[in-house]
């Protein structure tokens, strides 16, 4: 029996742990974890044309324009390793990007399997971000820029969950606990959506 392809999104506010959990879940399923934030940071580090174009916006904690972001994602999803499934982290981030992704998937006769919504209380996410700022020194992890990113999350990103809720594909996961606990919660939710147990460990 073939395992259905897992086409997943992971959505949560800054500091919810979506990058960490996204990577663990993708590894368990054997699909690539695709983080737009990581792709942009790699482009900035490599001083590529894309990196030079997005650096200022990212340093301010604002969103890269949809047209550019969606083009980067389409190109990445068209690579062969994403043919059997993928986990997107950090995209879509507003309603325009939801439409862009829908159009791309419809063209390929594909649809999303699950949208993992990772929830953590605000205090906890701010504590995690402060720790990350000390450990990683990300240029957009200053107090003021974090506040801007959280505002944009509430205003632009949280509403995308309403769209996906209407489609009954949102799995709401409590993001407080040990890393393993949270991964197990996500995996149970994915199993309930028919992703087979041997593909998911
Ligand atoms: P965080 O979720 O902590 O803000 P990310 O690594 O997901 O971190 O994103 C870092 C930055 O990259 C964002 O603040 C934004 O500037 C840019 N970015 C990432 N994904 C998108 C996207 N889908 N649309 C627009 N900008 C994005």
């Amino acid at each position: 029996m073939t395992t259905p392809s897992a086409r997943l999104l992971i959505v949560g506010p800054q500091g919810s742990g979506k990058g960490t959990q996204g990577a663990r879940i993708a590894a368990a399923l054997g699909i690539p974890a695709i983080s737009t934030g990581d792709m942009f940071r790699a482009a900035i580090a490599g001083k590529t044309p894309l990196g030079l174009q997005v650096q200022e916006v990212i340093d301010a904690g604002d969103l890269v324009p949809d047209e550019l972001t969606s083009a980067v994602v389409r190109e990445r999803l068209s690579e062969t390793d994403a043919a059997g499934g993928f986990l997107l982290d950090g995209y879509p981030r507003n309603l325009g990007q939801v439409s862009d992704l829908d159009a791309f998937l419809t063209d390929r006769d594909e649809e999303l399997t699950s949208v993992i919504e990772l929830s953590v209380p605000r205090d906890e996410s701010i504590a995690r971000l402060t720790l990350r700022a000390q450990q990683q020194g990300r240029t957009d992890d200053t107090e003021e820029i974090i506040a801007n990113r959280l505002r944009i999350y509430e205003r632009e990103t949280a509403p995308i969950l309403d769209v996906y809720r209407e489609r009954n594909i949102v799995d709401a996961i409590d993001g407080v606990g040990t890393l393993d606990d949270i991964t197990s919660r996500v995996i149970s939710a994915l199993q309930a959506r028919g992703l087979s147990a041997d593909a998911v460990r």
Side-chain angles (χ1 to χ4, degrees):
M1 208 182 86
T2 54
T3 309
S5 296
R7 298 193 183 87
L8 313 176
L9 308 183
I10 189 159
V11 183
Q14 287 73 13
S16 61
K18 70 185 162 54
T20 306
Q21 290 300 330
R24 291 168 70 108
I25 292 149
L29 287 163
I31 55 176
I34 299 174
S35 155
T36 43
D38 284 351
M39 286 195 287
F40 288 141
R41 278 186 291 278
I44 291 171
K47 298 191 163 54
T48 67
L50 172 68
L52 297 174
Q53 209 175 338
V54 302
Q55 177 153 29
E56 237 176 83
V57 179
I58 290 186
D59 281 347
D62 292 327
L63 293 188
V64 173
D66 290 351
E67 210 177 309
L68 183 56
T69 306
S70 291
V72 167
V73 171
R74 278 195 296 270
E75 197 173 307
R76 179 64 188 86
L77 289 181
S78 302
E79 286 176 32
T80 47
D81 66 333
F86 54 80
L87 179 145
L88 278 172
D89 161 9
Y91 181 94
R93 222 170 175 100
N94 59 26
L95 293 170
Q97 294 179 10
V98 169
S99 304
D100 290 346
L101 180 62
D102 279 345
F104 176 81
L105 293 176
T106 304
D107 265 1
R108 302 199 335 166
D109 216 6
E110 293 176 357
E111 51 185 31
L112 294 172
T113 320
S114 161
V115 176
I116 302 156
E117 175 189 7
L118 210 52
S119 308
V120 289
R122 205 184 164 87
D123 288 357
E124 168 91 13
S125 69
I126 291 178
R128 291 181 188 176
L129 285 171
T130 309
L131 187 68
R132 185 174 80 185
Q134 291 162 2
Q135 291 171 341
Q136 297 181 2
R138 252 175 66 169
T139 51
D140 60 350
D141 269 349
T142 65
E143 204 176 320
E144 189 191 337
I145 305 293
I146 288 171
N148 187 37
R149 282 156 51 218
L150 284 167
R151 265 196 309 274
I152 294 176
Y153 181 84
E154 287 307 325
R155 199 176 56 216
E156 300 201 35
T157 308
I160 77 172
L161 289 165
D162 294 331
V163 175
Y164 293 129
R165 265 186 219 108
E166 275 182 28
R167 297 182 197 173
N168 292 315
I169 54 172
V170 175
D171 289 309
I173 306 294
D174 175 3
V176 181
T178 67
L179 286 182
D180 284 344
D181 284 346
I182 300 162
T183 305
S184 305
R185 286 174 202 150
V186 175
I187 282 172
S188 305
L190 296 179
Q191 283 174 329
R193 291 199 182 268
L195 293 173
S196 91
D198 44 283
V200 184
R201 249 189 309 269

